[in-house]
Amino acid sequence: FNNNTINLISAFVIMGLYLLVSAVIFVTTTHEMIQVNHKPQSSSILNERGLSFGSGSLPGYCNHHLDWDRANCATVISGLHCIKEAFVENGDGWVPPMGDSHWVGMRFPCPITLNYIKVLNGKDRNDGVKIFYYTTEPNPGLKTKDWLQFGEMRTTDNHTDKTFKIELSTKITGIKVEVTQYHEEPRLRLVLYGDLKEISLLSKNPCSSFVCSSSTSSSATATSATTTSVTTQTTSTESRRDYIKELNISLQHFSVTLNDHDENIGSLENSVQVALEEIAKTNFRSKNNEDSIIELHSHSKKLEDVVLDFKQKQEIHNELLEAEQKAAKEIIATLQHNISSLYGLLNQREATIIALQNNMSTFYASQKEGLCTKELCVSQHGCRP
């Protein structure tokens, strides 16, 4: 194993730790916005009881991509990813224009209790940070400045919906969701859930009737009616009869209110039970996460031992390689010396051959010269050979 292999193994360990932390933490909320696993009642959906508005939508899809308020219901809005699509459960979702940040909102004709918000799966794009605001100003819209933040959502999971329990201390008249820090084109779809009794007071067609129903009653009204009837009684028989009649009506109203309180207490007990179950599940998941982290630390320690062993073997291998390289260099040096000696012997042999060739040439020349002299002497008869 070389250094590149060791670095690659270390990178995998770091990536595993990062993925483990990312799987545990993906949503940042406040105590007013808590993620839960159970599903709210579909009959308590608020989406069709309010009017939506927003800062714009992605150009090229919706026929009106600038800031828009549904108060003008006569304006025909068509196309894909329009502002109103942010509150359509089965729609394609609202896509904001590219930029620093954009937002959508919904207002209601009277103060309502917001119990849950479900952020639906963004299909293939769930980029960005989503910041949630509320207001108590009457008839909020594009020009409203008084918005209070109550939650923030950062997610890396594109495959599941997220449901949040809302714990606000007041009723609201509007909600706004700002999407920021996005690099692609995020899709946003929201489902808002409220109180069933309050929803019954809101019109199913807010474009035609954006008002609260006049049939509301409360324990404060019942108590006030009881007090008024007591203070207005007279000594006359007719007045006492009227007083008794009013008192009976007040008692009936008060009984209805008590029943409502009993139902609310029952609902609260169910909520507490659900919360306890969620806490138990959270503790179980936390314990599993702790076990996973301990196991990951154990694997990491084993991997460190393996890497250390690899380093030691690599050092031994390097030492052996250096010794082999040194021996090879010595052998090469010896061969080079022998080759040089051989070249010297070859040069001497070549010089010897050249000398022999010269001697042979001299010998042949002398032999030829002697023959000619002998012939000359013979022809002249008296010359000595």
Side-chain angles (χ1 to χ4, degrees):
F1 285 80
N2 54 25
N3 292 333
N4 291 334
T5 304
I6 296 172
N7 293 334
L8 182 61
I9 294 173
S10 301
F12 277 120
V13 173
I14 295 173
M15 184 179 296
L17 289 171
Y18 172 78
L19 292 175
L20 178 63
V21 173
S22 299
V24 175
I25 303 173
F26 60 90
V27 175
T28 302
T29 62
T30 66
H31 66 280
E32 298 169 327
M33 183 174 173
I34 305 169
Q35 186 174 357
V36 296
N37 292 328
H38 59 275
K39 297 181 180 179
Q41 297 182 18
S42 59
S43 58
S44 61
I45 294 178
L46 287 165
N47 288 32
E48 293 300 325
R49 305 301 177 99
L51 297 177
S52 54
F53 52 90
S55 61
S57 59
L58 186 66
Y61 292 90
C62 185
N63 68 334
H64 187 87
H65 62 270
L66 303 177
D67 55 350
W68 176 78
D69 194 321
R70 196 183 172 192
N72 184 10
C73 293
T75 303
V76 177
I77 301 298
S78 61
L80 297 175
H81 310 313
C82 300
I83 290 172
K84 64 179 182 179
E85 294 294 318
F87 300 98
V88 178
E89 183 174 4
N90 298 319
D92 292 318
W94 167 66
V95 177
M98 296 304 294
D100 294 335
S101 65
H102 285 274
W103 52 268
V104 289
M106 175 169 282
R107 65 172 172 273
F108 303 98
C110 54
I112 55 96
T113 302
L114 181 62
N115 289 333
Y116 296 93
I117 296 177
K118 181 162 70 173
V119 182
L120 297 173
N121 172 24
K123 293 185 178 178
D124 56 345
R125 293 190 297 273
N126 215 356
D127 192 19
V129 178
K130 300 169 183 63
I131 306 174
F132 295 82
Y133 302 88
Y134 75 90
T135 185
T136 57
E137 287 191 5
N139 199 31
L142 296 173
K143 297 182 179 180
T144 300
K145 304 295 184 182
D146 186 17
W147 294 100
L148 300 175
Q149 181 178 343
F150 66 90
E152 181 178 299
M153 175 180 174
R154 300 170 182 265
T155 179
T156 58
D157 181 4
N158 290 331
H159 304 292
T160 57
D161 301 338
K162 305 291 184 301
T163 302
F164 299 93
K165 181 76 171 74
I166 309 303
E167 298 287 353
L168 296 177
S169 59
T170 182
K171 295 184 178 184
I172 68 172
T173 56
I175 180 175
K176 182 176 82 170
V177 182
E178 179 184 9
V179 182
T180 184
Q181 298 180 28
Y182 54 90
H183 305 289
E184 297 183 9
E185 299 170 358
R187 299 185 185 185
L188 180 65
R189 291 184 299 152
L190 302 172
V191 182
L192 310 178
Y193 297 87
D195 185 87
L196 285 172
K197 295 175 184 177
E198 293 177 353
I199 290 177
S200 64
L201 306 179
L202 304 178
S203 172
K204 294 182 179 180
N205 188 358
C207 274
S208 61
S209 177
F210 194 67
V211 295
C212 288
S213 173
S214 60
S215 61
T216 182
S217 62
S218 66
S219 59
T221 304
T223 304
S224 175
T226 303
T227 304
T228 302
S229 63
V230 171
T231 56
T232 56
Q233 62 176 318
T234 64
T235 56
S236 64
T237 303
E238 189 65 30
S239 297
R240 282 196 297 270
R241 289 177 179 174
D242 293 339
Y243 165 71
I244 293 172
K245 185 183 295 185
E246 293 176 1
L247 183 60
N248 286 332
I249 295 174
S250 298
L251 287 174
Q252 291 176 0
H253 288 174
F254 190 69
S255 177
V256 172
T257 303
L258 286 177
N259 291 332
D260 292 343
H261 285 312
D262 289 340
E263 292 178 1
N264 290 334
I265 291 173
S267 177
L268 181 60
E269 289 176 349
N270 292 334
S271 299
V272 170
Q273 182 62 32
V274 171
L276 291 175
E277 292 175 358
E278 290 301 321
I279 291 173
K281 292 179 181 178
T282 302
N283 292 335
F284 179 74
R285 288 194 295 267
S286 177
K287 181 64 171 60
N288 288 341
N289 291 334
E290 291 176 0
D291 294 340
S292 298
I293 292 173
I294 292 173
E295 184 179 357
L296 184 60
H297 280 311
S298 175
H299 289 313
S300 177
K301 183 63 173 63
K302 291 179 181 178
L303 186 59
E304 288 177 358
D305 295 338
V306 172
V307 171
L308 180 60
D309 183 56
F310 287 155
K311 286 184 177 179
Q312 293 174 349
K313 291 181 179 179
Q314 183 70 27
E315 291 176 356
I316 296 172
H317 176 73
N318 290 338
E319 292 176 356
L320 294 174
L321 184 61
E322 289 179 359
E324 292 176 355
Q325 289 177 346
K326 184 177 179 181
K329 288 181 179 178
E330 293 176 354
I331 293 172
I332 291 172
T334 302
L335 289 174
Q336 289 176 342
H337 176 73
N338 293 337
I339 291 172
S340 298
S341 300
L342 183 61
Y343 274 127
L345 293 174
L346 290 174
N347 290 333
Q348 291 178 2
R349 181 179 179 183
E350 185 177 359
T352 302
I353 293 172
I354 293 173
L356 288 173
Q357 289 176 345
N358 292 334
N359 292 334
M360 291 296 294
S361 298
T362 304
F363 175 77
Y364 284 134
S366 62
Q367 289 294 323
K368 184 177 180 181
E369 183 180 357
L371 291 173
C372 292
T373 303
K374 183 178 180 180
E375 292 175 354
L376 180 63
C377 289
V378 171
S379 63
Q380 291 181 1
H381 303 285
C383 253
R384 295 180 180 179

